[in-house]
């Protein structure tokens, strides 16, 4: 089993199964991939397109082909000496509906369920209406209205002998003890005889063990025609129609329930039955305020798990561990690690388990290291803790670092001015984030805030010095602390905030909260500081106080993470658009650009701390595809031109706008965001007069626009869509892209996209080469070996045309690089670059995985437009040279290739120890580049191909395998640098 050299992320679902991937393995191997990096593979909700909504972690998803298909895929991977890394979901499971047996058992038995402590449920809620109950917010509207409309129905399952309720596709098992409410009222004495035994289960310590026998007896009894009819008759007493919700023509007979109360209509009877359950049915809207269990962010159908409990840890990983031990899975990626109560402890436990499992694997796999990655958003200045024992993150921070490198700081002021003038939103991105945090904390996450605030109140009441603190005051201070939190979360241990960066981040939040809280509330922050990690837990005596502090601290740290994600990624990034290429997952749009020196520093740090960190520039979660962002970054170099274009387009589109009572549609800000989006994702080969292609493009843009408008939460919202505003925006885009009256405007937007496309493609190629040569492991998102002009999901999860990609790779060795450059819009140029570079990684694995990183100095008239570095390991050395901020250097040929003359006297300086080395095996050919004086002219390095990669080796070292670099065809370039 090879070490991880390069991964390809595949999104499995029912329309792309394990068997569908088998024919692609050979292609990925030829491309240079060492491991498939899979989306979650355990049983997910039916029809899931992503797999993160797991309903049964004990089995491989049958929609993907099940375990047999997985084994077939892995067998094919082994044929090509490749492996499988799998995404696992430890933080949550899908809940609701009828497909999660653990969740259904918790509903059925409440706190007595064997799974009651699997989910992060607050069974002892401070809400008196939820004592010992679980809020189940799955009703389409208010409970009373749903009940009166007859949308909650009671049924009997003849196969299991169980009663249950339904609301559309949601299934609610009735507690066995409550069956007595139904059976006691049946006129059938045979059924009545079951009432008392079922009622006794309520007080029985082992009721869940006795219940199956009663269910079986009831099932057998119900098979008799008379009893089947009696069950149907008694269930009719719980059936609601609009006619009998309040009154009926004939009064119903009074029915005496098992507890002695009388019900005189079906609605009361059904309500009483539902009130006997271990859950309380409620409208989906109540979740934000009243939820008493942790969700994934604000998603009602994803319930948080308590993986910190050993029993839960073993249960959710059992099948994964088995597959690892059998040699099926070769590495793991942890989804949303920040959602866990104790990420550090979890990662360390998982790492130790993997190390033990290696010893149990098949003989040929026992020596391999099982990589462990975590999805983690690192804020500016934040670093992944080395003591988590991870191989690294999934690479969002690298995506951000490359993006910063490709933005021209000179354009920042002009673009900021344009955005603030047009949109009227003059605040900085930081202010947008604070406003968005307050919004989500008072709406989507209000219930989570209340849980932490109630916990803080309980802590305060334990000390006579703080018992007078009020819930309102503590809530106020808590909200402002979270609003100013500069990172996703802290990672406090029993020793407190031990890491200096965590101390700094919390102190910054405290300082920020003081700027918005009244001075009278400042003392509250001192208490919060102490309770939330400032005072180490080990300094408290064992007992209730320490346990309470630990629980509240965990919930606080699990609150700041979704608050950050919902405020930054899902709100502020749709409200602020100085330049959309800086608005993505893991980015901080407050920072517009970075210098090459800063980029080099990040690479050196990664080489020291996490040399096997994943490096990605496209994911299933990105807001814009890697090549969409690369093209948009060009606008930072042409800010004046772009401002003029926007002014012209706004004038030309005036008649397309609609006056609404709440303002113009689209708003000026939304219109500007649209123009940026069109420029960024406009396909390279799309012409304004291609009606069929334009219709397909329109469909994609409209899907994006709906999501963008609702995520911004300004004029529309997911929970309250503004149909009138959305319809007006839809008409605007539709007319803009398809109306015969807007041909001139459409052609101008198309021409503008084509104008910046070559520089965008050059950015893309540079980005691609950096991902494959910087310290770390390159991760290729499915299909992005061709151009990726996708938008946010579902656009970035569309089916991939692998057939064309396989055909292109089969032909690429017979195609001259110069021809690929000439025909760059078809995407083969990018694929060829990936294939050649990954082949080099395979040829020199130690050079890429363990090679030292050295930034190179660039001198000359265009030095600011070049980034260069070497990777060095023993006798081998890798040279990488890429252009940056290139619009002023490109000519009018429309190619992503800078003319050699444009570089002038620009040179790359080699360190003395490398001076005189011969760099051979360039990407283009077997060209030899020698620098006797320690200087390499950029004009020669980048003559004929947009970027440069070459290898230098000692004459005494072993000869590399010549098959890696095939003999060039007559059409290939043979540059000689001397």
């Amino acid at each position: 089993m090879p070490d991880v050299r390069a991964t390809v992320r595949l999104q499995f679902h029912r329309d792309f199964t394990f068997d569908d991937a088998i024919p692609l393995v050979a292609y990925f191997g030829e491309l240079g991939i060492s491991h498939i990096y899979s989306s979650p593979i355990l049983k997910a909700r039916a029809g899931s397109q992503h797999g993160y909504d797991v309903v049964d972690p004990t089995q491989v998803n049958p929609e993907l082909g099940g375990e047999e298909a997985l084994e077939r895929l892995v067998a094919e991977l082994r044929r090509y000496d490749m492996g499988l890394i799998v995404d696992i979901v430890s933080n949550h499971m899908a809940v609701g509906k009828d497909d999660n047996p653990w969740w259904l058992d918790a509903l059925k038995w409440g706190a007595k369920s064997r799974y009651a402590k699997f989910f992060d449920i607050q069974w002892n809620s401070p809400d008196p209406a939820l004592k010992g109950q679980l809020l189940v917010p799955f009703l389409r509207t208010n409970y009373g209205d749903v009940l009166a409309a007859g949308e909650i129905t009671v049924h009997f399952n003849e196969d299991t002998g169980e009663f249950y309720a339904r609301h559309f596709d949601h299934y609610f098992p009735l507690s066995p003890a409550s069956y007595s409410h139904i059976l006691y009222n049946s006129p059938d004495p045979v059924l009545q005889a079951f009432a008392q035994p079922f009622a006794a289960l309520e007080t029985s310590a082992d009721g869940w063990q006795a219940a199956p026998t009663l269910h079986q007896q009831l099932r057998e009894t119900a098979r008799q025609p008379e009893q089947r009819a009696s069950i149907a008759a008694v269930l009719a007493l719980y059936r609601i129609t609009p006619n009998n919700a309040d009154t009926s023509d004939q009064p119903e007979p009074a029915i005496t329930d098992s507890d002695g109360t009388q019900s005189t209509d079906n609605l009361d009877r059904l309500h009483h039955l539902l009130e006997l359950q271990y859950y309380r049915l409620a409208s989906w809207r109540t979740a934000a305020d009243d939820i008493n269990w942790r969700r994934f962010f604000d998603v009602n159908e994803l319930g948080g798990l308590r993986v910190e409990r050993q029993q839960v840890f073993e249960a959710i990983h059992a099948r994964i561990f088995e597959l690892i031990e059998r040699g099926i899975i070769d590495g793991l990626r942890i989804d949303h690690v920040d959602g866990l109560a104790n990420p550090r402890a979890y990662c360390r436990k998982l790492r130790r388990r993997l190390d033990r499992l290696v010893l149990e694997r098949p003989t040929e796999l026992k020596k391999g290291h099982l990589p462990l990655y975590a999805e983690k958003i690192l804020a500016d200045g934040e670093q992944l803790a080395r003591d988590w024992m991870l191989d690294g993150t999934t690479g969002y921070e690298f995506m951000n670092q490359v993006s910063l490198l490709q933005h021209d700081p000179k354009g920042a002021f002009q673009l900021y001015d344009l955005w603030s003038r047009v949109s009227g939103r003059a605040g900085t991105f930081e202010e947008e984030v604070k406003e968005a945090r307050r919004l989500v904390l008072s709406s989507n996450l209000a219930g989570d805030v209340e849980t932490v605030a109630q916990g803080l109140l309980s802590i305060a009441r334990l000390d006579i010095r703080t018992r007078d603190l009020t819930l309102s005051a503590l809530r106020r201070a808590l909200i402002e602390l979270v609003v100013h939190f500069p990172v996703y979360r802290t990672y406090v241990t029993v020793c407190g905030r031990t890491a200096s960066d965590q101390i700094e981040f919390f102190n910054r939040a405290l300082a920020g909260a003081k700027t918005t809280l009244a001075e009278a509330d400042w003392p509250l922050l001192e208490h919060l500081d102490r309770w939330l990690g400032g005072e180490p837990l080990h300094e408290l005596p064992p007992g209730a106080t320490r346990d309470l502090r630990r629980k509240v601290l965990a919930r606080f740290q699990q609150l700041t993470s979704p608050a950050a994600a919902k405020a930054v990624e899902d709100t502020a990034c749709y409200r602020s658009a100085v330049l959309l290429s800086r608005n993505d997952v893991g980015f901080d749009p407050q920072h517009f650009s970075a210098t090459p020196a800063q980029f080099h520093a990040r690479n050196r740090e990664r080489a020291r701390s996490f040399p096997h960190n994943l490096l990605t520039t496209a994911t299933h979660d990105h807001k814009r595809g890697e090549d969409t962002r690369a093209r948009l970054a060009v606008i930072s170099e042409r800010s004046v031109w772009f401002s003029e274009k926007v002014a012209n387009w706004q004038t030309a589109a005036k008649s397309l706008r609609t006056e609404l009572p709440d303002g113009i549609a689209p708003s000026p800000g939304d219109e500007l965001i649209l123009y940026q989006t069109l420029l960024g994702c406009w396909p390279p080969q799309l012409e304004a007069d291609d009606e069929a292609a334009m219709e397909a493009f329109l469909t994609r843009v409209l899907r994006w626009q709906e999501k963008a408008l609702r995520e911004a939460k300004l004029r529309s919202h997911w929970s309250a869509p503004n149909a009138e505003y959305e319809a007006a925006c839809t008409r605007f885009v539709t007319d803009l892209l398809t109306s015969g009256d807007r041909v001139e405007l459409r052609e101008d937007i198309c021409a503008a996209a084509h104008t910046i496309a070559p520089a965008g493609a050059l950015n893309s190629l540079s980005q691609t080469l950096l991902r494959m040569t910087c310290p770390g492991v390159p991760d290729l998102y499915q299909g992005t070996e061709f151009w990726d002009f996708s938008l946010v999901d579902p656009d970035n999860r569309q089916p991939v045309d692998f057939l064309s990609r396989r055909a292109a790779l089969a032909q690429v060795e017979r195609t001259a690089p110069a021809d690929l450059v000439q025909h760059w819009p078809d995407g083969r140029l990018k694929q060829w670059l990936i294939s050649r570079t990954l082949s080099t990684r395979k040829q020199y694995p130690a050079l890429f995985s363990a090679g030292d990183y050295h930034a190179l100095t660039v001198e000359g008239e265009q030095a600011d437009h070049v980034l260069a570095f070497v990777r060095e390991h023993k006798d081998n050395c890798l040279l990488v040279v890429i252009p940056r901020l290139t619009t002023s250097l490109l000519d009018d040929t429309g190619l992503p290739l800078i003319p050699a003359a444009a570089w002038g006297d620009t040179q790359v300086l080699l360190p003395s120890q490398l001076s005189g080395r011969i760099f051979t095996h360039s990407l283009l050919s077997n060209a030899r580049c020698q620098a006797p004086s320690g200087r390499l002219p950029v004009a020669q390095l980048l003559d004929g191909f947009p970027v440069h990669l070459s290898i230098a080796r000692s004459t005494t070292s072993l000869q590399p395998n010549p098959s890696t670099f095939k003999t060039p065809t007559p059409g290939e370039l043979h540059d000689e640098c001397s």
Side-chain angles (χ1 to χ4, degrees):
M1 173 61 58
D3 291 333
V4 184
R5 291 190 319 272
T7 64
V8 59
R9 170 72 182 210
L10 296 183
Q11 294 294 118
F12 288 107
H13 46 81
R14 65 184 178 188
D15 298 318
F16 183 74
T17 67
F18 299 137
D19 284 327
D20 293 322
I22 291 174
L24 303 176
V25 171
Y27 162 71
F28 292 137
E30 187 178 356
L31 193 62
I33 299 298
S34 67
H35 288 70
I36 285 179
Y37 162 28
S38 164
S39 59
I41 65 170
L42 299 180
K43 185 179 179 181
R45 181 143 284 163
S48 174
Q49 292 294 298
H50 47 75
Y52 290 102
D53 44 359
V54 174
V55 294
D56 186 354
T58 68
Q59 61 175 305
V60 176
N61 195 345
E63 285 195 343
L64 308 184
E67 196 161 327
E68 292 183 358
L70 177 64
E71 291 171 352
R72 290 193 293 270
L73 172 60
V74 172
E76 184 71 2
L77 288 170
R78 298 297 186 244
R79 285 186 59 205
Y80 292 89
D81 196 26
M82 295 169 65
L84 176 67
I85 296 172
V86 168
D87 201 339
I88 60 172
V89 189
S90 312
N91 176 69
H92 57 267
M93 293 180 72
V95 297
K97 300 191 177 179
D98 61 357
D99 46 8
N100 185 333
W102 295 359
W103 175 258
L104 296 178
D105 196 79
L107 294 183
K108 184 176 181 180
W109 292 103
K112 294 184 290 186
S113 167
R114 74 194 80 177
Y115 301 107
K117 294 184 179 180
F118 275 47
F119 298 96
D120 206 345
I121 300 169
Q122 189 179 12
W123 288 105
N124 297 312
S125 172
D127 183 349
L130 282 176
K131 286 296 183 183
Q133 282 187 309
L134 175 66
L135 185 75
V136 180
F138 298 134
L139 303 184
R140 68 166 182 86
T141 189
N142 297 329
Y143 170 75
D145 294 337
V146 170
L147 204 64
E151 294 174 0
I152 301 176
T153 54
V154 181
H155 305 268
F156 179 71
N157 187 329
E158 295 185 358
D159 295 327
T160 64
E162 297 175 312
F163 289 101
Y164 63 95
R166 267 203 177 276
H167 174 64
F168 297 109
D169 57 349
H170 287 290
Y171 176 98
F172 308 112
L174 300 182
S175 71
S178 71
Y179 291 9
S180 60
H181 188 280
I182 300 171
L183 299 170
Y184 184 83
N185 294 309
S186 172
D188 188 331
V190 175
L191 294 182
Q192 282 189 358
F194 281 96
Q196 185 56 39
F198 273 109
L201 296 177
E202 178 67 26
T203 56
S204 173
D206 59 352
W208 62 273
Q209 291 179 310
T213 301
L214 287 174
H215 286 310
Q216 182 179 357
Q217 294 171 351
L218 182 59
R219 180 189 63 192
E220 296 298 327
T221 300
R223 288 177 176 173
Q224 302 303 315
E226 184 178 349
Q227 277 68 51
R228 181 183 292 114
S230 295
I231 289 176
V234 75
L235 289 182
L237 300 177
Y238 296 86
R239 188 177 304 127
I240 308 297
T241 66
N243 289 334
N244 69 11
D246 298 309
T247 60
S248 59
D249 294 336
Q250 298 295 326
E252 297 183 27
I255 301 239
T256 303
D257 297 330
S258 58
D259 61 359
T261 62
Q262 287 194 346
S263 300
T264 57
D265 75 19
N266 291 13
L267 189 146
D268 286 344
R269 195 156 37 245
L270 177 57
H271 170 63
H272 188 203
L273 174 65
L274 295 175
E275 288 292 278
L276 295 175
Q277 306 310 312
Y278 293 112
Y279 50 83
R280 192 186 83 188
L281 298 183
S283 164
W284 65 271
R285 294 182 184 274
T286 65
D289 295 311
D290 293 341
I291 198 79
N292 65 336
W293 45 278
R294 183 172 61 85
R295 301 166 294 173
F296 171 74
F297 293 174
D298 60 347
V299 183
N300 288 357
E301 294 189 7
L302 294 176
L305 291 167
R306 299 184 65 187
V307 73
E308 67 274 14
R309 296 177 58 87
Q310 183 64 28
Q311 184 184 9
V312 181
F313 178 87
E314 296 296 339
I316 67 173
H317 294 101
R319 180 45 58 93
I320 292 293
F321 289 159
E322 178 194 337
L323 294 172
I324 291 173
E325 185 175 338
R326 288 170 50 198
I328 302 296
I329 294 176
D330 307 300
L332 298 177
R333 180 259 201 194
I334 306 164
D335 178 63
H336 189 49
V337 73
D338 276 343
L340 307 182
N342 191 335
R344 175 182 179 273
Y346 171 79
C347 291
R348 289 169 63 87
K349 180 189 290 188
L350 192 55
R351 174 76 270 164
R352 288 191 293 265
R353 178 62 67 88
L354 294 185
D355 290 344
R356 291 200 300 270
L357 287 172
V358 166
L359 304 177
E360 306 299 323
R361 283 159 65 83
T363 303
E364 66 275 14
L365 301 176
K366 284 186 177 180
K367 295 182 180 179
H369 169 75
L370 297 175
L372 181 61
Y373 301 103
E375 181 197 32
K376 170 78 183 93
I377 303 296
L378 294 171
D380 184 49
E382 185 182 13
Q383 295 182 350
L384 183 66
R386 297 184 68 174
D387 66 354
W388 286 18
M389 301 170 67
L390 295 170
D391 289 88
T393 72
T394 53
Y396 288 127
E397 68 282 355
F398 177 78
M399 188 164 83
N400 179 45
Q401 291 156 13
V402 174
S403 172
L404 288 166
L405 181 70
Q406 295 187 329
H407 283 74
D408 190 345
K410 297 176 183 176
F413 180 80
Q414 175 78 24
L415 293 172
Y416 175 81
D417 178 68
L418 172 66
W419 170 252
S420 59
R421 281 190 295 104
V422 170
S423 70
R425 302 186 70 81
T428 63
F429 188 80
E430 184 178 9
E431 291 303 315
E432 289 281 14
V433 170
K434 290 176 184 176
E435 180 182 323
R437 281 177 183 259
R438 289 193 179 92
L439 174 65
V440 299
L441 290 171
S442 63
S443 55
N444 308 57
L445 302 178
D448 302 89
V449 171
E450 195 64 19
T451 296
V452 178
Q454 289 281 358
L456 292 171
L457 179 65
S458 297
I459 293 173
R461 294 288 167 82
L462 293 176
D463 190 332
I464 60 174
R465 295 168 297 181
T466 58
R467 72 176 190 177
D468 285 347
L469 298 180
T470 66
L471 177 61
S472 295
L474 289 168
R475 186 191 301 115
R476 200 162 53 238
L478 171 65
I479 288 174
E480 289 309 307
L481 183 66
V482 177
V483 162
H484 291 88
F485 229 69
V487 291
Y488 262 54
R489 59 169 287 170
T490 52
Y491 306 95
V492 179
T493 68
V494 293
C495 298
R497 300 184 205 114
T498 54
S500 59
D501 58 338
Q502 296 300 324
I503 295 173
E504 176 194 346
F505 294 140
F506 203 94
N507 287 341
R508 282 167 55 186
L510 290 170
K514 284 186 176 181
T515 66
T516 50
L517 279 173
E519 190 170 350
D521 284 337
W522 288 4
L524 292 167
L525 296 174
E526 296 177 9
H527 296 303
L528 265 57
D529 181 23
R530 180 161 56 89
W531 296 337
L532 298 176
E535 181 179 31
L537 292 176
H538 73 79
E539 294 182 1
L540 300 175
T545 300
R546 183 197 282 188
D547 290 344
L548 178 60
R549 286 265 199 104
R550 177 178 51 80
K551 292 176 183 177
V552 174
L553 173 59
R555 290 308 294 261
F556 168 74
Q557 293 181 131
Q558 290 172 308
L559 168 64
T560 60
S561 176
K566 295 301 296 181
V568 179
E569 299 166 21
D570 294 346
T571 305
C573 278
Y574 290 93
R575 290 183 170 192
S576 175
V578 173
L579 191 54
L580 289 177
S581 46
R582 288 298 305 136
N583 293 15
D584 220 303
V585 179
F587 289 20
D588 182 358
Q590 187 70 18
H591 298 281
F592 188 78
S593 62
T595 65
Q598 291 170 311
F599 183 76
H600 288 312
R602 296 285 185 264
N603 284 334
R604 285 192 295 268
E605 174 58 33
R606 191 183 321 109
R608 285 193 301 268
S609 301
F610 294 98
H612 307 297
N613 202 93
L614 289 181
L615 306 180
T616 190
T617 48
T619 77
H620 61 285
D621 279 334
H622 65 230
K623 305 297 184 189
R624 274 156 285 277
E626 62 185 21
D627 302 317
T628 303
R629 293 194 312 273
R631 185 192 291 172
L632 281 171
V634 177
I635 293 175
S636 70
E637 304 174 62
R638 305 199 61 177
S639 56
V640 175
W641 168 85
F642 177 67
S643 297
E644 293 172 350
K645 284 294 182 184
V646 168
N648 293 338
W649 297 338
Q650 286 178 315
T651 300
K654 183 178 181 180
S655 61
L656 296 179
R657 302 184 195 105
T658 304
E659 286 283 355
L660 298 176
D662 63 341
I664 198 77
S667 69
D670 286 339
E671 186 176 345
L672 178 51
I673 289 174
L674 171 65
Y675 293 141
Q676 287 193 46
T677 299
L678 293 177
L679 288 185
C681 71
W682 197 281
Q685 296 170 311
L686 175 63
E687 297 299 335
D689 59 355
D690 187 337
E691 294 183 5
M694 194 63 70
E695 285 288 348
F697 183 51
L698 171 64
T699 300
R700 292 179 51 213
V701 173
L702 289 177
R703 271 200 308 257
W704 157 82
Q705 182 179 249
E706 179 187 69
K707 185 165 188 173
L709 296 177
R710 294 181 181 183
E711 294 283 28
K713 307 171 187 68
L714 293 173
R715 300 280 293 276
S716 193
H717 198 290
W718 288 111
S719 61
N722 183 338
E724 191 176 19
Y725 181 73
E726 290 184 6
C729 291
T730 296
R731 289 193 299 273
F732 182 94
V733 179
T734 302
D735 289 345
L736 182 67
L737 295 182
T738 61
S739 172
D741 296 334
R742 305 298 164 183
V743 173
E744 186 176 346
L745 174 56
R746 185 159 59 249
E747 288 179 343
D748 196 43
I749 295 174
C750 176
H754 289 328
T755 297
I756 62 174
L762 186 47
N763 275 347
S764 296
L765 297 173
S766 297
Q767 174 177 254
T768 299
L769 184 59
L770 290 174
R771 186 180 73 241
M772 295 185 293
T773 56
C774 287
V777 176
D779 173 41
L780 176 74
Y781 182 62
Q782 59 180 27
T784 58
E785 60 269 37
F786 278 10
W787 300 123
D788 172 26
F789 294 105
S790 64
L791 297 168
V792 72
D793 66 276
D795 196 54
N796 60 0
R797 302 177 188 178
Q798 296 303 301
V800 178
D801 180 8
F802 281 114
L803 187 63
S804 64
R805 286 160 174 78
R806 293 166 67 184
L809 189 62
Q811 298 291 326
V812 76
E813 290 298 342
R814 296 194 292 272
T815 306
D819 290 340
L820 294 173
V821 173
Q822 287 291 327
H823 298 91
W824 69 267
D826 63 21
R828 293 178 301 148
L829 173 62
K830 184 182 178 185
Q831 183 193 51
W832 185 82
L833 173 63
I834 292 171
S835 175
R836 277 300 178 93
T837 308
L838 294 185
S839 293
T840 308
R841 288 187 69 100
K842 186 175 183 179
Q843 183 68 24
Y844 299 92
L847 177 59
F848 285 89
S849 64
D852 294 333
Y853 181 94
H854 302 289
L856 297 181
T857 300
V858 183
E859 292 184 350
E861 56 188 285
Q862 306 297 349
D864 290 340
H865 298 274
V866 178
L867 180 134
F869 61 86
V870 293
R871 304 286 306 280
E872 189 177 13
H873 183 262
K874 296 183 178 179
D875 294 326
N876 294 322
C877 183
L878 168 82
L879 171 66
V880 175
V881 181
I882 60 113
R884 58 184 293 267
L885 311 181
T886 60
T887 55
S888 63
L889 303 177
L890 288 168
D891 57 19
D892 58 1
T893 61
L895 300 179
L897 180 64
I898 297 171
W903 291 113
D905 63 353
T906 311
Q907 302 175 85
V908 174
L909 278 59
L910 295 178
S912 57
Q913 67 269 27
L914 296 181
S915 182
R917 280 215 186 189
I918 299 174
F919 287 86
T920 185
H921 301 314
S922 76
L923 279 174
L924 286 172
S925 65
N926 287 332
R928 297 163 63 85
C929 304
Q930 190 170 7
S933 62
R935 294 174 178 269
L936 292 170
V938 174
Q940 294 176 322
L941 292 170
L942 298 179
D943 183 18
F945 198 76
V947 294
H948 179 87
L949 168 66
S950 57
I951 298 287
R953 57 181 176 79
S954 168
T955 56
T956 60
S957 65
L958 294 175
Q959 295 293 319
N961 185 344
S963 65
T964 300
F965 298 95
K966 296 182 173 67
T967 303
T969 59
E972 290 188 314
L973 301 177
H974 294 267
D975 297 333
E976 188 74 26
C977 304
S978 60

